[in-house]
Amino acid sequence: MSGNLFRTKLCDLLDIDYPIMLAAMAPDVSDPALVAAVSEAGGIGVLACADKSPEEIRDLAAETRKLTGKPFGIDVALPIKADTLSLDFHEALAQADLPEEHVRLRDEFMAANAIPYVDDISKATPGLSSIAAFKLGYELGKRQVETILDIAPALFVSALGDPSFMVAEAHRRGIKVMSVVGRSKDAGRVARGGVDAVICTGTAAGGHSGAVDGTVLVPQVAELVAPTPVVAGGGIVDGRGLAGALALGAVGVWVGTRFIASQECAAKPWYKQHLVEADDMATVRNRWYTGKTTRHLEGAWDKACEQSGLEPLDMPAQGICVTPMTLGAVEAGEYVSSGIYCGQGTARIDAVLPVAEIVSQMIEDARAILTEELPQRVQLN
Ligand SMILES: Cc1cc2nc3c(=O)[nH]c(=O)nc-3n(C[C@H](O)[C@H](O)[C@H](O)COP(=O)(O)O)c2cc1C
């Protein structure tokens, strides 16, 4: 038995050394380089492909396979409703028929903050949320799933929706299936559909996150879906988070924000710097970037929206409306207004580190907490 052993059921399920998953983060944050780095470090990387065409997914998977022989996953957002808008941004903008008052709110905000209108979406930087979100509403999912079944990665993850319809075929091809949920009702449904594990993200999570705290959600879902294993996400940035997740009933962790602040991540230096500097009150959760609730750094855009008296539009219209502002905010150096997605755990990140160091430190610290700190701190007889 190796002294580095830290195995759970998740390690057996995915054939990995450590129960640490890189959360999928679109657009282009969980890319081949970051995915391979996490898989090589002993966890498992999950490619963010929610906004990618089938052809792009094939290329990204091939690139990842060149970088690592270890298992990796692919994540897409399964469509909930049929879609009618184009995947081309300008066509979608014309079709979306945005309400005048929302366009006025955005335009006045841009004028007041010297943010230019930029509609060239090829200028998107990794993590620019509205870009991925405007495509999420489209009927891409079925074609994406067919492609992923053909590629046969170790793991398929559905970010939204219910993957039950493809579980049997995935298993025939040796692919494990997991689904991300933010409330117990969805957990029960996907577990009944045969997923191999349920990923529960608590409200501390960056990006699209639910309203339920992980300390409530994880044990509740673990009991509800047993013997299906549960993976915990949201606010987990270190060994203490990993040890806590295991105590709550999870078999591993789904980690996003901590890996953005890594050397291998393609996010811009300003994105990582904001994460290093942010404190525990820096994030907010609202629908002003994508039409669904996201957790991101709070900035001038959130405040302007709050004061407007308007309600956000639904997905994908809200993402389409704000995209020219978010692209312009990057160009103007008004970075927070571009929508810096991150979890509340950002408060506990104080350096940009190599992925291997983040993983080994997490394992080492969790081991010390479980084997030394807790037995000292808790008297049991
Ligand atoms: C920049 C960013 C982009 C995200 N994009 C996706 C995505 O494409 N698919 C998905 O399943 N979840 C997405 N999420 C949510 C993450 O997968 C994960 O649930 C979350 O980051 C976990 O919380 P943490 O950031 O506190 O670790 C995103 C999160 C962030 C921060």
Side-chain angles (χ1 to χ4, degrees):
M1 245 206 217
S2 147
N4 290 328
L5 198 68
F6 195 110
R7 286 190 77 80
T8 69
K9 205 169 171 182
L10 185 70
C11 303
D12 301 335
L13 187 67
L14 297 172
D15 193 21
I16 56 177
D17 293 334
Y18 301 130
I20 298 174
M21 305 182 73
L22 163 69
M25 294 178 281
D28 304 321
V29 177
S30 302
D31 69 353
L34 189 57
V35 166
V38 174
S39 291
E40 285 291 310
I44 186 166
V46 180
L47 269 177
C49 290
D51 61 321
K52 302 299 182 209
S53 68
E55 298 69 37
E56 289 169 323
I57 294 176
R58 278 188 200 283
D59 290 347
L60 290 168
E63 209 180 319
T64 309
R65 276 192 174 141
K66 274 193 208 146
L67 297 174
T68 182
K70 302 258 169 94
F72 68 91
I74 301 183
D75 167 283
V76 299
L78 297 177
I80 295 165
K81 302 179 218 161
D83 305 297
T84 48
L85 304 187
S86 169
L87 276 173
D88 175 88
F89 180 71
H90 291 97
E91 280 177 22
L93 183 62
Q95 291 164 345
D97 197 17
L98 300 172
E100 244 172 59
E101 58 272 32
H102 286 78
V103 172
R104 196 176 323 117
L105 168 65
R106 179 201 67 196
D107 290 350
E108 285 176 3
F109 175 77
M110 289 196 297
N113 291 277
I115 293 174
Y117 183 98
V118 179
D119 60 0
D120 176 359
I121 66 165
S122 70
K123 291 190 170 169
T125 47
L128 195 100
S129 54
S130 58
I131 295 285
F134 107 76
K135 294 185 185 173
L136 288 192
Y138 296 94
E139 185 62 57
L140 255 185
K142 293 228 173 73
R143 288 197 295 138
Q144 289 174 323
V145 167
E146 276 165 29
T147 307
I148 296 166
L149 286 170
D150 195 37
I151 295 169
L155 171 68
F156 170 85
V157 180
S158 75
L160 294 173
D162 183 350
S164 305
F165 72 94
M166 52 82 70
V167 168
E169 188 54 36
H171 285 168
R172 255 193 295 281
R173 295 169 189 236
I175 308 167
K176 302 287 191 253
V177 180
M178 298 188 188
S179 182
V180 182
V181 305
R183 53 182 190 175
S184 56
K185 187 174 154 198
D186 296 334
R189 192 174 38 135
V190 299
R192 282 192 298 279
V195 297
D196 297 281
V198 179
I199 301 169
C200 296
T201 54
T203 192
H208 288 115
S209 70
V212 185
D213 193 276
T215 53
V216 174
L217 186 69
V218 175
Q220 191 187 11
V221 171
E223 281 169 23
L224 179 75
V225 305
T228 306
V230 161
V231 177
I236 296 167
V237 296
D238 56 15
R240 198 165 288 287
L242 170 57
L246 297 176
L248 289 173
V251 295
V253 288
W254 169 254
V255 179
T257 302
R258 175 60 269 192
F259 285 123
I260 302 177
S262 71
Q263 286 173 2
E264 290 86 344
C265 179
K268 296 286 180 195
W270 50 260
Y271 200 127
K272 299 178 188 181
Q273 192 54 32
H274 273 93
L275 300 190
V276 168
E277 287 168 9
D279 68 15
D280 55 0
M281 291 297 285
T283 68
V284 68
R285 201 176 140 267
N286 63 37
R287 300 200 294 120
W288 286 108
Y289 279 100
T290 72
K292 287 193 185 290
T293 47
T294 65
R295 186 173 293 285
H296 51 268
L297 290 186
E298 185 172 29
W301 171 243
D302 301 287
K303 295 195 173 120
C305 292
E306 212 175 280
Q307 283 160 14
S308 70
L310 295 176
E311 283 297 314
L313 303 171
D314 288 337
M315 184 183 271
Q318 186 64 30
I320 291 173
C321 183
V322 301
T323 285
M325 184 280 284
T326 60
L327 287 165
V330 172
E331 207 160 289
E334 276 293 319
Y335 299 123
V336 175
S337 295
S338 75
I340 297 182
Y341 276 22
C342 64
Q344 288 178 318
T346 190
R348 304 192 59 242
I349 295 173
D350 55 14
V352 176
L353 299 171
V355 161
E357 197 175 323
I358 294 171
V359 170
S360 61
Q361 197 66 51
M362 208 180 252
I363 293 297
E364 223 174 276
D365 289 351
R367 185 199 314 281
I369 290 164
L370 296 171
T371 60
E372 295 164 31
E373 184 184 318
L374 287 179
Q376 275 174 24
R377 212 144 44 80
V378 188
Q379 272 192 325
L380 293 170
N381 49 44

